[in-house]
Short mmCIF file of all heavy atoms in Angstrom, two decimals:
data_model
loop_
_atom_site.label_atom_id
_atom_site.label_comp_id
_atom_site.label_asym_id
_atom_site.label_seq_id
_atom_site.Cartn_x
_atom_site.Cartn_y
_atom_site.Cartn_z
N VAL A 67 -16.59 -8.22 6.66
CA VAL A 67 -17.42 -9.19 7.37
C VAL A 67 -18.89 -8.84 7.14
O VAL A 67 -19.21 -7.76 6.63
CB VAL A 67 -17.11 -9.20 8.89
CG1 VAL A 67 -15.67 -9.60 9.16
CG2 VAL A 67 -17.41 -7.82 9.50
N ASP A 68 -19.75 -9.75 7.51
CA ASP A 68 -21.18 -9.48 7.41
C ASP A 68 -21.61 -8.62 8.61
O ASP A 68 -21.24 -8.91 9.76
CB ASP A 68 -21.98 -10.78 7.40
CG ASP A 68 -21.71 -11.60 6.15
OD1 ASP A 68 -21.43 -10.99 5.10
OD2 ASP A 68 -21.77 -12.84 6.24
N ALA A 69 -22.36 -7.57 8.33
CA ALA A 69 -22.84 -6.71 9.41
C ALA A 69 -23.76 -7.50 10.33
O ALA A 69 -24.50 -8.39 9.90
CB ALA A 69 -23.57 -5.51 8.83
N SER A 70 -23.70 -7.16 11.61
CA SER A 70 -24.51 -7.87 12.60
C SER A 70 -25.07 -6.88 13.61
O SER A 70 -24.51 -5.80 13.84
CB SER A 70 -23.65 -8.93 13.31
OG SER A 70 -24.34 -9.50 14.40
N ALA A 71 -26.16 -7.27 14.22
CA ALA A 71 -26.75 -6.43 15.26
C ALA A 71 -26.08 -6.66 16.62
O ALA A 71 -26.36 -5.94 17.58
CB ALA A 71 -28.25 -6.72 15.38
N ALA A 72 -25.19 -7.64 16.67
CA ALA A 72 -24.51 -7.95 17.93
C ALA A 72 -23.52 -6.84 18.30
O ALA A 72 -23.08 -6.07 17.45
CB ALA A 72 -23.77 -9.28 17.80
N ARG A 73 -23.17 -6.77 19.56
CA ARG A 73 -22.21 -5.78 20.03
C ARG A 73 -20.82 -6.11 19.51
O ARG A 73 -20.39 -7.26 19.55
CB ARG A 73 -22.18 -5.76 21.56
CG ARG A 73 -21.20 -4.75 22.16
CD ARG A 73 -21.12 -4.88 23.67
NE ARG A 73 -20.47 -6.11 24.09
CZ ARG A 73 -19.14 -6.25 24.25
NH1 ARG A 73 -18.34 -5.24 24.00
NH2 ARG A 73 -18.65 -7.41 24.66
N ARG A 74 -20.12 -5.11 19.02
CA ARG A 74 -18.75 -5.33 18.58
C ARG A 74 -17.82 -5.35 19.79
O ARG A 74 -18.01 -4.58 20.74
CB ARG A 74 -18.32 -4.26 17.59
CG ARG A 74 -18.84 -4.53 16.18
CD ARG A 74 -18.40 -3.48 15.19
NE ARG A 74 -19.22 -2.29 15.30
CZ ARG A 74 -19.10 -1.23 14.50
NH1 ARG A 74 -18.18 -1.22 13.56
NH2 ARG A 74 -19.88 -0.19 14.65
N LEU A 75 -16.83 -6.19 19.74
CA LEU A 75 -15.91 -6.35 20.86
C LEU A 75 -15.00 -5.14 21.01
O LEU A 75 -14.73 -4.42 20.04
CB LEU A 75 -15.05 -7.61 20.65
CG LEU A 75 -15.82 -8.93 20.51
CD1 LEU A 75 -14.84 -10.07 20.24
CD2 LEU A 75 -16.66 -9.21 21.75
N THR A 76 -14.53 -4.92 22.22
CA THR A 76 -13.57 -3.85 22.47
C THR A 76 -12.19 -4.31 22.02
O THR A 76 -11.96 -5.51 21.79
CB THR A 76 -13.53 -3.51 23.96
OG1 THR A 76 -13.00 -4.64 24.69
CG2 THR A 76 -14.91 -3.16 24.49
N PRO A 77 -11.22 -3.40 21.88
CA PRO A 77 -9.88 -3.80 21.46
C PRO A 77 -9.25 -4.87 22.34
O PRO A 77 -8.67 -5.84 21.83
CB PRO A 77 -9.09 -2.49 21.51
CG PRO A 77 -10.12 -1.43 21.29
CD PRO A 77 -11.35 -1.93 21.95
N ASP A 78 -9.38 -4.74 23.66
CA ASP A 78 -8.78 -5.74 24.56
C ASP A 78 -9.47 -7.10 24.41
O ASP A 78 -8.82 -8.15 24.51
CB ASP A 78 -8.85 -5.26 26.01
CG ASP A 78 -7.80 -4.20 26.32
OD1 ASP A 78 -6.87 -4.04 25.51
OD2 ASP A 78 -7.92 -3.52 27.36
N GLU A 79 -10.75 -7.09 24.18
CA GLU A 79 -11.46 -8.35 23.99
C GLU A 79 -11.01 -9.02 22.69
O GLU A 79 -10.85 -10.25 22.64
CB GLU A 79 -12.97 -8.09 23.95
CG GLU A 79 -13.56 -7.73 25.31
CD GLU A 79 -15.03 -7.33 25.23
OE1 GLU A 79 -15.47 -6.90 24.14
OE2 GLU A 79 -15.73 -7.44 26.25
N LEU A 80 -10.79 -8.23 21.65
CA LEU A 80 -10.30 -8.79 20.39
C LEU A 80 -8.92 -9.42 20.57
O LEU A 80 -8.65 -10.51 20.08
CB LEU A 80 -10.24 -7.69 19.32
CG LEU A 80 -11.58 -7.18 18.80
CD1 LEU A 80 -11.36 -5.97 17.90
CD2 LEU A 80 -12.31 -8.27 18.05
N VAL A 81 -8.04 -8.71 21.29
CA VAL A 81 -6.69 -9.23 21.52
C VAL A 81 -6.75 -10.51 22.33
O VAL A 81 -6.04 -11.48 22.04
CB VAL A 81 -5.83 -8.16 22.23
CG1 VAL A 81 -4.50 -8.76 22.67
CG2 VAL A 81 -5.59 -6.96 21.31
N ALA A 82 -7.60 -10.54 23.36
CA ALA A 82 -7.72 -11.74 24.20
C ALA A 82 -8.23 -12.93 23.38
O ALA A 82 -7.72 -14.05 23.52
CB ALA A 82 -8.65 -11.45 25.38
N ARG A 83 -9.23 -12.71 22.52
CA ARG A 83 -9.75 -13.80 21.67
C ARG A 83 -8.67 -14.30 20.72
O ARG A 83 -8.55 -15.51 20.49
CB ARG A 83 -10.95 -13.30 20.86
CG ARG A 83 -12.14 -12.86 21.71
CD ARG A 83 -12.95 -14.01 22.25
NE ARG A 83 -14.10 -13.56 23.02
CZ ARG A 83 -15.31 -13.38 22.53
NH1 ARG A 83 -15.55 -13.62 21.24
NH2 ARG A 83 -16.31 -12.98 23.31
N LEU A 84 -7.89 -13.39 20.19
CA LEU A 84 -6.83 -13.78 19.25
C LEU A 84 -5.75 -14.60 19.94
O LEU A 84 -5.26 -15.60 19.39
CB LEU A 84 -6.21 -12.54 18.60
CG LEU A 84 -5.07 -12.80 17.62
CD1 LEU A 84 -5.58 -13.55 16.39
CD2 LEU A 84 -4.41 -11.48 17.19
N GLN A 85 -5.39 -14.21 21.14
CA GLN A 85 -4.34 -14.92 21.87
C GLN A 85 -4.74 -16.33 22.23
O GLN A 85 -3.89 -17.21 22.40
CB GLN A 85 -3.94 -14.12 23.11
CG GLN A 85 -3.17 -12.84 22.77
CD GLN A 85 -2.90 -11.98 23.99
OE1 GLN A 85 -3.56 -12.13 25.03
NE2 GLN A 85 -1.95 -11.07 23.88
N THR A 86 -6.03 -16.58 22.36
CA THR A 86 -6.47 -17.95 22.62
C THR A 86 -6.36 -18.83 21.38
O THR A 86 -6.35 -20.05 21.48
CB THR A 86 -7.94 -17.95 23.11
OG1 THR A 86 -8.77 -17.39 22.09
CG2 THR A 86 -8.08 -17.15 24.38
N ALA A 87 -6.26 -18.19 20.19
CA ALA A 87 -6.17 -18.94 18.94
C ALA A 87 -4.74 -19.32 18.60
O ALA A 87 -4.51 -20.15 17.72
CB ALA A 87 -6.77 -18.13 17.79
N GLY A 88 -3.76 -18.73 19.27
CA GLY A 88 -2.37 -19.07 18.99
C GLY A 88 -1.43 -17.98 19.45
O GLY A 88 -1.86 -16.90 19.88
N ASP A 89 -0.13 -18.28 19.38
CA ASP A 89 0.89 -17.33 19.79
C ASP A 89 1.35 -16.53 18.57
O ASP A 89 2.14 -16.99 17.76
CB ASP A 89 2.07 -18.07 20.41
CG ASP A 89 3.13 -17.11 20.94
OD1 ASP A 89 2.83 -15.90 21.03
OD2 ASP A 89 4.25 -17.56 21.26
N PHE A 90 0.83 -15.31 18.45
CA PHE A 90 1.16 -14.47 17.30
C PHE A 90 2.24 -13.44 17.63
O PHE A 90 2.73 -12.76 16.74
CB PHE A 90 -0.09 -13.73 16.81
CG PHE A 90 -1.13 -14.64 16.23
CD1 PHE A 90 -2.12 -15.20 17.04
CD2 PHE A 90 -1.13 -14.95 14.89
CE1 PHE A 90 -3.08 -16.04 16.52
CE2 PHE A 90 -2.09 -15.79 14.35
CZ PHE A 90 -3.07 -16.34 15.16
N GLY A 91 2.60 -13.32 18.89
CA GLY A 91 3.58 -12.32 19.29
C GLY A 91 2.93 -11.20 20.07
O GLY A 91 1.71 -11.18 20.30
N LYS A 92 3.72 -10.24 20.47
CA LYS A 92 3.24 -9.11 21.26
C LYS A 92 2.48 -8.14 20.37
O LYS A 92 2.96 -7.69 19.33
CB LYS A 92 4.42 -8.39 21.92
CG LYS A 92 4.01 -7.21 22.78
CD LYS A 92 5.22 -6.53 23.37
CE LYS A 92 4.81 -5.30 24.19
NZ LYS A 92 6.00 -4.59 24.73
N VAL A 93 1.27 -7.80 20.78
CA VAL A 93 0.44 -6.87 20.02
C VAL A 93 0.97 -5.45 20.20
O VAL A 93 1.28 -5.03 21.31
CB VAL A 93 -1.04 -6.95 20.48
CG1 VAL A 93 -1.86 -5.86 19.81
CG2 VAL A 93 -1.61 -8.33 20.15
N SER A 94 1.06 -4.72 19.09
CA SER A 94 1.55 -3.34 19.16
C SER A 94 0.49 -2.32 18.75
O SER A 94 0.58 -1.15 19.13
CB SER A 94 2.77 -3.16 18.25
OG SER A 94 2.44 -3.37 16.89
N ALA A 95 -0.50 -2.73 17.96
CA ALA A 95 -1.50 -1.78 17.49
C ALA A 95 -2.78 -2.49 17.09
O ALA A 95 -2.74 -3.66 16.69
CB ALA A 95 -0.95 -0.97 16.32
N VAL A 96 -3.88 -1.77 17.20
CA VAL A 96 -5.19 -2.29 16.79
C VAL A 96 -5.89 -1.21 15.97
O VAL A 96 -5.90 -0.04 16.37
CB VAL A 96 -6.05 -2.67 18.01
CG1 VAL A 96 -7.46 -3.09 17.56
CG2 VAL A 96 -5.40 -3.79 18.80
N THR A 97 -6.46 -1.60 14.85
CA THR A 97 -7.23 -0.68 14.02
C THR A 97 -8.71 -1.04 14.13
O THR A 97 -9.10 -2.18 13.87
CB THR A 97 -6.80 -0.75 12.55
OG1 THR A 97 -5.41 -0.41 12.45
CG2 THR A 97 -7.61 0.23 11.71
N MET A 98 -9.52 -0.06 14.54
CA MET A 98 -10.96 -0.24 14.68
C MET A 98 -11.66 0.65 13.66
O MET A 98 -11.15 1.72 13.30
CB MET A 98 -11.41 0.14 16.09
CG MET A 98 -10.65 -0.58 17.21
SD MET A 98 -11.06 -2.32 17.33
CE MET A 98 -12.72 -2.20 18.02
N ALA A 99 -12.83 0.22 13.18
CA ALA A 99 -13.58 0.98 12.18
C ALA A 99 -15.02 1.13 12.62
O ALA A 99 -15.57 0.28 13.31
CB ALA A 99 -13.50 0.29 10.82
N SER A 100 -15.63 2.24 12.19
CA SER A 100 -17.05 2.46 12.49
C SER A 100 -17.94 1.71 11.51
O SER A 100 -19.11 1.45 11.81
CB SER A 100 -17.36 3.95 12.44
OG SER A 100 -17.10 4.47 11.15
N ASP A 101 -17.41 1.35 10.36
CA ASP A 101 -18.16 0.59 9.36
C ASP A 101 -18.50 -0.79 9.91
O ASP A 101 -17.59 -1.55 10.26
CB ASP A 101 -17.33 0.48 8.08
CG ASP A 101 -18.07 -0.23 6.95
OD1 ASP A 101 -19.18 -0.75 7.18
OD2 ASP A 101 -17.52 -0.26 5.83
N PRO A 102 -19.76 -1.17 10.00
CA PRO A 102 -20.12 -2.47 10.58
C PRO A 102 -19.65 -3.66 9.73
O PRO A 102 -19.67 -4.79 10.22
CB PRO A 102 -21.65 -2.42 10.65
CG PRO A 102 -22.05 -1.41 9.64
CD PRO A 102 -20.96 -0.38 9.63
N THR A 103 -19.23 -3.42 8.49
CA THR A 103 -18.75 -4.53 7.65
C THR A 103 -17.23 -4.59 7.57
O THR A 103 -16.69 -5.41 6.84
CB THR A 103 -19.31 -4.39 6.22
OG1 THR A 103 -18.78 -3.21 5.60
CG2 THR A 103 -20.83 -4.32 6.23
N ALA A 104 -16.54 -3.71 8.30
CA ALA A 104 -15.08 -3.69 8.26
C ALA A 104 -14.50 -4.55 9.37
O ALA A 104 -14.94 -4.48 10.53
CB ALA A 104 -14.56 -2.26 8.38
N ALA A 105 -13.50 -5.38 9.03
CA ALA A 105 -12.82 -6.20 10.03
C ALA A 105 -11.85 -5.34 10.83
O ALA A 105 -11.40 -4.29 10.37
CB ALA A 105 -12.09 -7.34 9.35
N ALA A 106 -11.54 -5.78 12.04
CA ALA A 106 -10.52 -5.13 12.85
C ALA A 106 -9.15 -5.69 12.47
O ALA A 106 -9.03 -6.85 12.09
CB ALA A 106 -10.80 -5.35 14.33
N ARG A 107 -8.14 -4.86 12.56
CA ARG A 107 -6.78 -5.29 12.20
C ARG A 107 -5.88 -5.20 13.42
O ARG A 107 -5.90 -4.20 14.14
CB ARG A 107 -6.23 -4.43 11.08
CG ARG A 107 -4.88 -4.91 10.53
CD ARG A 107 -4.45 -4.08 9.33
NE ARG A 107 -3.25 -4.61 8.71
CZ ARG A 107 -2.68 -4.11 7.62
NH1 ARG A 107 -3.21 -3.03 7.05
NH2 ARG A 107 -1.59 -4.65 7.10
N ILE A 108 -5.09 -6.22 13.63
CA ILE A 108 -4.17 -6.26 14.77
C ILE A 108 -2.75 -6.40 14.25
O ILE A 108 -2.46 -7.29 13.43
CB ILE A 108 -4.52 -7.43 15.71
CG1 ILE A 108 -5.93 -7.22 16.30
CG2 ILE A 108 -3.49 -7.53 16.84
CD1 ILE A 108 -6.37 -8.34 17.22
N ARG A 109 -1.88 -5.51 14.70
CA ARG A 109 -0.47 -5.53 14.31
C ARG A 109 0.38 -5.97 15.50
O ARG A 109 -0.02 -5.81 16.65
CB ARG A 109 -0.03 -4.16 13.82
CG ARG A 109 -0.70 -3.72 12.52
CD ARG A 109 -0.19 -2.34 12.11
NE ARG A 109 -0.65 -1.95 10.79
CZ ARG A 109 -1.77 -1.27 10.54
NH1 ARG A 109 -2.54 -0.93 11.56
NH2 ARG A 109 -2.12 -0.95 9.32
N PHE A 110 1.59 -6.46 15.18
CA PHE A 110 2.45 -7.02 16.22
C PHE A 110 3.80 -6.30 16.24
O PHE A 110 4.24 -5.74 15.24
CB PHE A 110 2.67 -8.52 15.96
CG PHE A 110 1.38 -9.30 15.89
CD1 PHE A 110 0.81 -9.59 14.66
CD2 PHE A 110 0.73 -9.70 17.04
CE1 PHE A 110 -0.39 -10.29 14.58
CE2 PHE A 110 -0.46 -10.39 16.98
CZ PHE A 110 -1.03 -10.68 15.74
N ALA A 111 4.44 -6.35 17.42
CA ALA A 111 5.74 -5.72 17.59
C ALA A 111 6.83 -6.57 16.96
O ALA A 111 6.65 -7.76 16.70
CB ALA A 111 6.01 -5.51 19.08
N ARG A 112 7.96 -5.96 16.71
CA ARG A 112 9.10 -6.68 16.15
C ARG A 112 9.64 -7.68 17.16
O ARG A 112 9.62 -7.44 18.36
CB ARG A 112 10.21 -5.71 15.75
CG ARG A 112 9.84 -4.78 14.59
CD ARG A 112 11.02 -3.94 14.16
NE ARG A 112 10.66 -3.01 13.11
CZ ARG A 112 10.62 -3.33 11.81
NH1 ARG A 112 10.96 -4.57 11.44
NH2 ARG A 112 10.28 -2.44 10.91
N SER A 113 10.14 -8.76 16.64
CA SER A 113 10.76 -9.77 17.51
C SER A 113 12.17 -9.32 17.88
O SER A 113 12.66 -8.29 17.40
CB SER A 113 10.80 -11.12 16.79
OG SER A 113 11.64 -11.03 15.64
N GLU A 114 12.84 -10.11 18.73
CA GLU A 114 14.21 -9.77 19.12
C GLU A 114 15.15 -9.77 17.92
O GLU A 114 16.16 -9.08 17.91
CB GLU A 114 14.70 -10.77 20.18
CG GLU A 114 13.94 -10.68 21.50
CD GLU A 114 14.49 -11.65 22.53
OE1 GLU A 114 15.43 -12.41 22.18
OE2 GLU A 114 13.98 -11.65 23.66
N GLY A 115 14.83 -10.54 16.90
CA GLY A 115 15.65 -10.57 15.69
C GLY A 115 15.39 -9.42 14.75
O GLY A 115 16.05 -9.30 13.71
N GLY A 116 14.42 -8.55 15.07
CA GLY A 116 14.13 -7.40 14.24
C GLY A 116 13.04 -7.61 13.21
O GLY A 116 12.66 -6.68 12.50
#
Side-chain angles (χ1 to χ4, degrees):
V67 298
D68 294 330
S70 172
R73 180 186 70 87
R74 280 181 281 183
L75 302 177
T76 66
D78 283 346
E79 289 174 336
L80 290 172
V81 171
R83 298 283 182 93
L84 179 66
Q85 289 174 341
T86 61
D89 184 12
F90 293 90
K92 181 182 177 182
V93 172
S94 64
V96 175
T97 301
M98 306 289 287
S100 61
D101 183 353
T103 65
R107 187 175 186 178
I108 298 179
R109 294 180 172 91
F110 303 97
R112 294 185 183 277
S113 64
E114 294 182 358

